[in-house]
Amino acid sequence: MFSKDEWTQLEFLKNKRELEKDGVKVVLIDTILKPIEYVETMIYNPPLMEQFPLNSVFVFYCDTGKTTKERLEYYKKKFPKYRCISLKGGRGYFRPNLQLFDKLDKNE
């Protein structure tokens, strides 16, 4: 899960679900003042971000994902007590209708 510095939208949704089951907060961080519809985002604000629990994961996004990928080392130094990830493709590749569904048991 944390072997890469970038998550696709699908990885973000899957990892968020798994981590939040374990009580880890995963926050999508808006670095361009353009929120993504249909998903909770937070504007980049270091003082507020530092109020999250120390095991939180910050997933940074921009328009294309290139800038946040380039700045990821900066974010990691700025927030050394948190996990920092870049959203691959950024806001431009985020599909608002992409959803995860639980598999149903065939006997149900």
Side-chain angles (χ1 to χ4, degrees):
M1 176 179 310
F2 293 109
S3 60
K4 303 186 302 184
D5 285 338
E6 282 185 304
W7 286 350
T8 63
Q9 179 184 358
L10 186 58
E11 289 171 325
F12 165 73
L13 294 172
K14 285 181 178 180
N15 293 340
K16 179 178 172 67
R17 179 185 282 179
E18 290 301 312
L19 289 167
E20 289 188 346
K21 282 181 188 174
D22 296 332
V24 176
K25 183 76 173 160
V26 179
V27 187
L28 194 57
I29 305 294
D30 177 357
T31 64
I32 53 173
L33 300 176
K34 293 179 184 176
I36 296 175
E37 294 179 16
Y38 308 109
V39 67
E40 183 181 352
T41 62
M42 176 184 174
I43 294 173
Y44 178 76
N45 184 333
L48 288 179
M49 292 167 64
E50 290 172 344
Q51 293 178 6
F52 281 91
L54 295 182
N55 64 347
S56 298
V57 178
F58 297 142
V59 182
F60 297 89
Y61 76 89
C62 60
D63 281 320
T64 64
K66 290 180 184 177
T67 303
T68 52
K69 175 76 168 143
E70 291 171 1
R71 291 184 184 161
L72 198 57
E73 290 307 313
Y74 167 78
Y75 295 137
K76 287 179 177 183
K77 288 179 185 172
K78 180 103 177 145
F79 304 102
K81 298 177 183 176
Y82 302 89
R83 295 233 184 215
C84 297
I85 304 288
S86 176
L87 183 65
K88 188 172 186 168
R91 185 177 185 270
Y93 282 95
F94 204 90
R95 303 294 173 242
N97 295 326
L98 179 64
Q99 299 176 22
L100 296 178
F101 295 101
D102 294 322
K103 291 182 181 178
L104 294 177
D105 186 4
K106 290 183 180 181
N107 295 328
E108 290 183 12

mmCIF file of all heavy atoms in Angstrom, residues 2-21:
data_model
loop_
_atom_site.group_PDB
_atom_site.id
_atom_site.type_symbol
_atom_site.label_atom_id
_atom_site.label_comp_id
_atom_site.label_asym_id
_atom_site.label_seq_id
_atom_site.Cartn_x
_atom_site.Cartn_y
_atom_site.Cartn_z
ATOM 1 N N PHE A 2 1.907 1.266 0.810
ATOM 2 C CA PHE A 2 2.775 2.438 0.883
ATOM 3 C C PHE A 2 4.093 2.214 0.149
ATOM 4 O O PHE A 2 5.066 2.920 0.390
ATOM 5 C CB PHE A 2 3.045 2.816 2.340
ATOM 6 C CG PHE A 2 1.807 3.296 3.043
ATOM 7 C CD1 PHE A 2 1.204 2.511 4.006
ATOM 8 C CD2 PHE A 2 1.235 4.510 2.732
ATOM 9 C CE1 PHE A 2 0.051 2.927 4.656
ATOM 10 C CE2 PHE A 2 0.086 4.947 3.364
ATOM 11 C CZ PHE A 2 -0.506 4.152 4.335
ATOM 12 N N SER A 3 4.119 1.242 -0.747
ATOM 13 C CA SER A 3 5.350 0.975 -1.493
ATOM 14 C C SER A 3 5.559 1.997 -2.610
ATOM 15 O O SER A 3 6.654 2.111 -3.134
ATOM 16 C CB SER A 3 5.313 -0.433 -2.083
ATOM 17 O OG SER A 3 4.206 -0.572 -2.951
ATOM 18 N N LYS A 4 4.497 2.747 -2.954
ATOM 19 C CA LYS A 4 4.592 3.756 -4.013
ATOM 20 C C LYS A 4 4.291 5.131 -3.439
ATOM 21 O O LYS A 4 3.610 5.258 -2.424
ATOM 22 C CB LYS A 4 3.592 3.457 -5.130
ATOM 23 C CG LYS A 4 3.752 2.090 -5.759
ATOM 24 C CD LYS A 4 2.852 1.879 -6.953
ATOM 25 C CE LYS A 4 1.399 2.034 -6.647
ATOM 26 N NZ LYS A 4 0.510 1.750 -7.776
ATOM 27 N N ASP A 5 4.789 6.169 -4.134
ATOM 28 C CA ASP A 5 4.526 7.551 -3.726
ATOM 29 C C ASP A 5 3.264 8.113 -4.371
ATOM 30 O O ASP A 5 2.866 9.236 -4.071
ATOM 31 C CB ASP A 5 5.703 8.457 -4.094
ATOM 32 C CG ASP A 5 6.894 8.266 -3.179
ATOM 33 O OD1 ASP A 5 6.704 7.770 -2.055
ATOM 34 O OD2 ASP A 5 8.007 8.624 -3.583
ATOM 35 N N GLU A 6 2.681 7.358 -5.302
ATOM 36 C CA GLU A 6 1.481 7.813 -6.000
ATOM 37 C C GLU A 6 0.391 6.752 -5.887
ATOM 38 O O GLU A 6 0.686 5.563 -5.949
ATOM 39 C CB GLU A 6 1.751 7.997 -7.494
ATOM 40 C CG GLU A 6 2.474 9.235 -7.885
ATOM 41 C CD GLU A 6 2.561 9.344 -9.392
ATOM 42 O OE1 GLU A 6 3.076 8.411 -10.039
ATOM 43 O OE2 GLU A 6 2.114 10.373 -9.915
ATOM 44 N N TRP A 7 -0.832 7.202 -5.739
ATOM 45 C CA TRP A 7 -1.974 6.315 -5.781
ATOM 46 C C TRP A 7 -2.870 6.749 -6.924
ATOM 47 O O TRP A 7 -3.111 7.946 -7.110
ATOM 48 C CB TRP A 7 -2.797 6.391 -4.498
ATOM 49 C CG TRP A 7 -2.202 5.723 -3.306
ATOM 50 C CD1 TRP A 7 -1.115 4.889 -3.265
ATOM 51 C CD2 TRP A 7 -2.665 5.814 -1.954
ATOM 52 N NE1 TRP A 7 -0.884 4.480 -1.979
ATOM 53 C CE2 TRP A 7 -1.820 5.026 -1.159
ATOM 54 C CE3 TRP A 7 -3.711 6.483 -1.349
ATOM 55 C CZ2 TRP A 7 -1.993 4.890 0.215
ATOM 56 C CZ3 TRP A 7 -3.874 6.358 0.015
ATOM 57 C CH2 TRP A 7 -3.032 5.562 0.786
ATOM 58 N N THR A 8 -3.405 5.792 -7.676
ATOM 59 C CA THR A 8 -4.447 6.095 -8.633
ATOM 60 C C THR A 8 -5.731 6.349 -7.853
ATOM 61 O O THR A 8 -5.794 6.103 -6.643
ATOM 62 C CB THR A 8 -4.664 4.918 -9.603
ATOM 63 O OG1 THR A 8 -5.120 3.792 -8.839
ATOM 64 C CG2 THR A 8 -3.383 4.572 -10.361
ATOM 65 N N GLN A 9 -6.753 6.800 -8.543
ATOM 66 C CA GLN A 9 -8.031 7.017 -7.868
ATOM 67 C C GLN A 9 -8.550 5.721 -7.262
ATOM 68 O O GLN A 9 -9.024 5.706 -6.124
ATOM 69 C CB GLN A 9 -9.063 7.595 -8.832
ATOM 70 C CG GLN A 9 -10.416 7.818 -8.189
ATOM 71 C CD GLN A 9 -11.470 8.309 -9.155
ATOM 72 O OE1 GLN A 9 -11.203 8.522 -10.327
ATOM 73 N NE2 GLN A 9 -12.672 8.493 -8.673
ATOM 74 N N LEU A 10 -8.438 4.632 -7.993
ATOM 75 C CA LEU A 10 -8.908 3.340 -7.489
ATOM 76 C C LEU A 10 -8.114 2.913 -6.255
ATOM 77 O O LEU A 10 -8.695 2.463 -5.256
ATOM 78 C CB LEU A 10 -8.815 2.280 -8.582
ATOM 79 C CG LEU A 10 -9.406 0.923 -8.253
ATOM 80 C CD1 LEU A 10 -10.886 1.035 -7.888
ATOM 81 C CD2 LEU A 10 -9.223 -0.029 -9.425
ATOM 82 N N GLU A 11 -6.787 3.082 -6.302
ATOM 83 C CA GLU A 11 -5.962 2.756 -5.132
ATOM 84 C C GLU A 11 -6.335 3.646 -3.957
ATOM 85 O O GLU A 11 -6.401 3.183 -2.814
ATOM 86 C CB GLU A 11 -4.484 2.921 -5.463
ATOM 87 C CG GLU A 11 -3.952 1.869 -6.400
ATOM 88 C CD GLU A 11 -2.548 2.169 -6.893
ATOM 89 O OE1 GLU A 11 -2.201 3.350 -7.104
ATOM 90 O OE2 GLU A 11 -1.789 1.194 -7.078
ATOM 91 N N PHE A 12 -6.580 4.926 -4.227
ATOM 92 C CA PHE A 12 -6.989 5.849 -3.169
ATOM 93 C C PHE A 12 -8.271 5.354 -2.499
ATOM 94 O O PHE A 12 -8.353 5.279 -1.272
ATOM 95 C CB PHE A 12 -7.192 7.260 -3.733
ATOM 96 C CG PHE A 12 -7.951 8.179 -2.817
ATOM 97 C CD1 PHE A 12 -7.357 8.680 -1.671
ATOM 98 C CD2 PHE A 12 -9.260 8.537 -3.093
ATOM 99 C CE1 PHE A 12 -8.068 9.521 -0.810
ATOM 100 C CE2 PHE A 12 -9.973 9.368 -2.248
ATOM 101 C CZ PHE A 12 -9.375 9.863 -1.106
ATOM 102 N N LEU A 13 -9.270 5.014 -3.298
ATOM 103 C CA LEU A 13 -10.550 4.568 -2.736
ATOM 104 C C LEU A 13 -10.402 3.268 -1.949
ATOM 105 O O LEU A 13 -10.939 3.139 -0.845
ATOM 106 C CB LEU A 13 -11.582 4.410 -3.848
ATOM 107 C CG LEU A 13 -11.993 5.710 -4.557
ATOM 108 C CD1 LEU A 13 -12.864 5.400 -5.763
ATOM 109 C CD2 LEU A 13 -12.683 6.668 -3.607
ATOM 110 N N LYS A 14 -9.660 2.300 -2.502
ATOM 111 C CA LYS A 14 -9.454 1.024 -1.813
ATOM 112 C C LYS A 14 -8.653 1.205 -0.533
ATOM 113 O O LYS A 14 -9.017 0.684 0.526
ATOM 114 C CB LYS A 14 -8.724 0.034 -2.725
ATOM 115 C CG LYS A 14 -9.577 -0.552 -3.805
ATOM 116 C CD LYS A 14 -8.765 -1.538 -4.633
ATOM 117 C CE LYS A 14 -9.602 -2.191 -5.702
ATOM 118 N NZ LYS A 14 -8.806 -3.139 -6.506
ATOM 119 N N ASN A 15 -7.540 1.932 -0.631
ATOM 120 C CA ASN A 15 -6.682 2.122 0.536
ATOM 121 C C ASN A 15 -7.386 2.927 1.617
ATOM 122 O O ASN A 15 -7.236 2.640 2.804
ATOM 123 C CB ASN A 15 -5.368 2.778 0.132
ATOM 124 C CG ASN A 15 -4.519 1.878 -0.737
ATOM 125 O OD1 ASN A 15 -4.699 0.661 -0.758
ATOM 126 N ND2 ASN A 15 -3.600 2.465 -1.468
ATOM 127 N N LYS A 16 -8.157 3.928 1.210
ATOM 128 C CA LYS A 16 -8.910 4.726 2.186
ATOM 129 C C LYS A 16 -9.875 3.831 2.952
ATOM 130 O O LYS A 16 -9.954 3.895 4.170
ATOM 131 C CB LYS A 16 -9.662 5.851 1.465
ATOM 132 C CG LYS A 16 -10.508 6.731 2.375
ATOM 133 C CD LYS A 16 -11.153 7.839 1.559
ATOM 134 C CE LYS A 16 -12.163 8.650 2.332
ATOM 135 N NZ LYS A 16 -11.615 9.445 3.403
ATOM 136 N N ARG A 17 -10.579 2.981 2.235
ATOM 137 C CA ARG A 17 -11.534 2.070 2.883
ATOM 138 C C ARG A 17 -10.816 1.155 3.881
ATOM 139 O O ARG A 17 -11.246 0.994 5.015
ATOM 140 C CB ARG A 17 -12.255 1.237 1.835
ATOM 141 C CG ARG A 17 -13.230 0.252 2.461
ATOM 142 C CD ARG A 17 -13.860 -0.644 1.442
ATOM 143 N NE ARG A 17 -14.903 0.069 0.745
ATOM 144 C CZ ARG A 17 -15.629 -0.462 -0.225
ATOM 145 N NH1 ARG A 17 -15.401 -1.691 -0.624
ATOM 146 N NH2 ARG A 17 -16.579 0.230 -0.798
ATOM 147 N N GLU A 18 -9.726 0.549 3.447
ATOM 148 C CA GLU A 18 -8.987 -0.381 4.312
ATOM 149 C C GLU A 18 -8.385 0.321 5.525
ATOM 150 O O GLU A 18 -8.481 -0.174 6.641
ATOM 151 C CB GLU A 18 -7.884 -1.080 3.519
ATOM 152 C CG GLU A 18 -8.397 -2.075 2.512
ATOM 153 C CD GLU A 18 -9.221 -3.191 3.150
ATOM 154 O OE1 GLU A 18 -8.765 -3.768 4.150
ATOM 155 O OE2 GLU A 18 -10.318 -3.471 2.645
ATOM 156 N N LEU A 19 -7.751 1.462 5.296
ATOM 157 C CA LEU A 19 -7.104 2.178 6.392
ATOM 158 C C LEU A 19 -8.114 2.707 7.401
ATOM 159 O O LEU A 19 -7.872 2.670 8.606
ATOM 160 C CB LEU A 19 -6.236 3.313 5.845
ATOM 161 C CG LEU A 19 -4.966 2.866 5.118
ATOM 162 C CD1 LEU A 19 -4.352 4.021 4.341
ATOM 163 C CD2 LEU A 19 -3.970 2.292 6.113
ATOM 164 N N GLU A 20 -9.234 3.200 6.920
ATOM 165 C CA GLU A 20 -10.221 3.752 7.843
ATOM 166 C C GLU A 20 -10.903 2.655 8.661
ATOM 167 O O GLU A 20 -11.388 2.922 9.752
ATOM 168 C CB GLU A 20 -11.199 4.658 7.104
ATOM 169 C CG GLU A 20 -10.477 5.942 6.676
ATOM 170 C CD GLU A 20 -11.359 7.021 6.103
ATOM 171 O OE1 GLU A 20 -12.532 6.748 5.758
ATOM 172 O OE2 GLU A 20 -10.862 8.155 5.987
ATOM 173 N N LYS A 21 -10.909 1.420 8.160
ATOM 174 C CA LYS A 21 -11.383 0.293 8.982
ATOM 175 C C LYS A 21 -10.482 0.114 10.195
ATOM 176 O O LYS A 21 -10.928 -0.318 11.257
ATOM 177 C CB LYS A 21 -11.378 -1.004 8.171
ATOM 178 C CG LYS A 21 -12.514 -1.156 7.219
ATOM 179 C CD LYS A 21 -12.408 -2.496 6.497
ATOM 180 C CE LYS A 21 -13.428 -2.619 5.395
ATOM 181 N NZ LYS A 21 -13.236 -3.863 4.611
#
